[in-house]
Amino acid sequence: MRFNIITRYIGLVLMINAVFMFISAGISVIYGIDTGFYPLLMGATLTLALGSFPLIFVDADNSINSKEAYVIVVGSWVISCLVGTFPYLIWGGEFGIVNAWFESVSGFTTTGSTILEYIEDLPNSLLFWRSSTHWLGGIGVMMFVLVVIPSLGRVKMTLSNVQMSSLAKDNFNYKTQKIIQILLSVYVGLTFAEVLFLRFAGMDWFDAINHSFSNIATGGFSTRTLSIAYYNNKWIEIVITFFTVVAGIHFGVIFATLTGRKSNIFNSEVTKFYLYSLLIGGSFTVLCLWLSNSYSTLWEAMRYGYFQIVSIGTTTGFATTDSNIWPPFAVIILIYFSFTCACSGSTTGGLKADRILLSYKSVMARIKQLQHPNAIIRVKMDKVTVEDNTLSLVNMFIVVYIIFVLAGSLIISATGVDLITSFSAAFASMGNVGPGFGMVSSLSNYSELSDFVKIICTLLMLIGRLEIFGLLLIAMIRIWK
């Protein structure tokens, strides 16, 4: 394995990070050079220097093997999170080493958890950098590199195959370069559209840009301590709900719908399962909130119920109310959506609707097989037969995912944290959801947790974002044959 080549490609990722730090420093200039200017400028300069050295001293090589590709992709995520701490650490305040690491990892993995008690205390430039980490992590920093460097050749295919899961590639019938262009064009297009709609709905330009960066990345970082509840504006909530739902759909399906292709939203089984799940789950939640008198009118129950279900069900994590005080039935529904989440090929985390649907179909196929031992039962998705190997991987992923959540809950609870907080912090971190219950509810934060628990949460965030096996493969790379 050639570590010099690996550092070269990670250097390209650092350059992308440096560009966004410089842009954030530019935001500081617009607002009269706030206290974030020098931390961002110094962080950008240091990141640029770290990224430049391997580009200068290591010759380009357009052939890499799968082992090197895994190290490059996983290394890009980890190093991005590391350099993302520079502006926070230099700025100071609440940002000690662990807190800065937590905020950076939460940003790049689009988890949206925060250690900040009063977000408005941050200067606008740092708020923009904070939202930028979401936007970079939503589609993956490596994807930006693959778009802006057209000369990578076969490397582009190798790296994109590692970056995207097999489920995410299912709805793409294009060459690698075209897939990457589709992903970025849909991503940028949705972001631009939401900025305009949020501005028209009542947000100022700065907040509209920051919340769009967070929303399309299905992150959850807000410029306000009270999140979306701060605005108390139904039109802003409607805009965010709509774009949150759209951001949870496979980007290839969105592109197919916009270009009039057959594999669109109306023909995709997974997309329909995802949308119907949100509708049904939201309806049950609204009914529960209304009948339990949690809200005085049906309209209020609908307003807050559907927003929270969509926000949690897409791992976005924005909040308009404190779901910590909801009835147990509604809380259980939120926990279910914290696990299932949205579609592969989107910016969301969690198990994904694709795996839940495939697992359900495989169980039903097994039941039919037991009823008719001599029959040949095939599992199909969108009229295409799914291989048994794929079904086995899906079911294995779900089992391993739950094991990590339970292990995380056990470790966190061993530090003296209550059961509800331990469990919800584990599944919210693993699924890149953000808010949980107890001490880490929708209008709370992670500041009261110990440094050890914060580190455990960041590990779960990275494992969840890299879909478990990416990080495990690196951990066992010495025994690859």
Side-chain angles (χ1 to χ4, degrees), residues 30-103:
I30 293 174
Y31 286 94
I33 306 186
D34 58 31
T35 57
F37 176 74
Y38 291 108
L40 283 162
L41 188 62
M42 292 173 66
T45 304
L46 181 57
T47 303
L48 184 65
L50 291 173
S52 299
F53 279 117
L55 295 179
I56 295 172
F57 296 107
V58 179
D59 294 332
D61 190 330
N62 288 344
S63 62
I64 59 173
N65 57 42
S66 59
K67 185 186 295 186
E68 291 166 341
Y70 271 104
V71 176
I72 290 169
V73 170
V74 175
S76 297
W77 281 97
V78 175
I79 298 300
S80 291
C81 292
L82 183 62
V83 300
T85 66
F86 292 167
Y88 299 137
L89 288 171
I90 298 170
W91 188 78
E94 295 177 75
F95 293 115
I97 294 176
V98 174
N99 281 353
W101 170 253
F102 184 95
E103 203 76 7

Side-chain angles (χ1 to χ4, degrees), residues 35-36 39-40 81 84-107 113-123 125-131 133 221-222 447 451 454:
T35 57
L40 283 162
C81 292
T85 66
F86 292 167
Y88 299 137
L89 288 171
I90 298 170
W91 188 78
E94 295 177 75
F95 293 115
I97 294 176
V98 174
N99 281 353
W101 170 253
F102 184 95
E103 203 76 7
S104 182
V105 173
S106 181
S113 308
T114 184
I115 51 84
L116 295 172
E117 296 188 58
Y118 302 102
I119 294 173
E120 286 88 347
D121 287 349
L122 258 65
S125 54
L126 270 184
L127 287 174
F128 185 83
W129 166 245
R130 191 167 168 264
S131 300
T133 60
F221 279 163
S222 175
S447 61
D451 286 351
K454 290 172 186 174

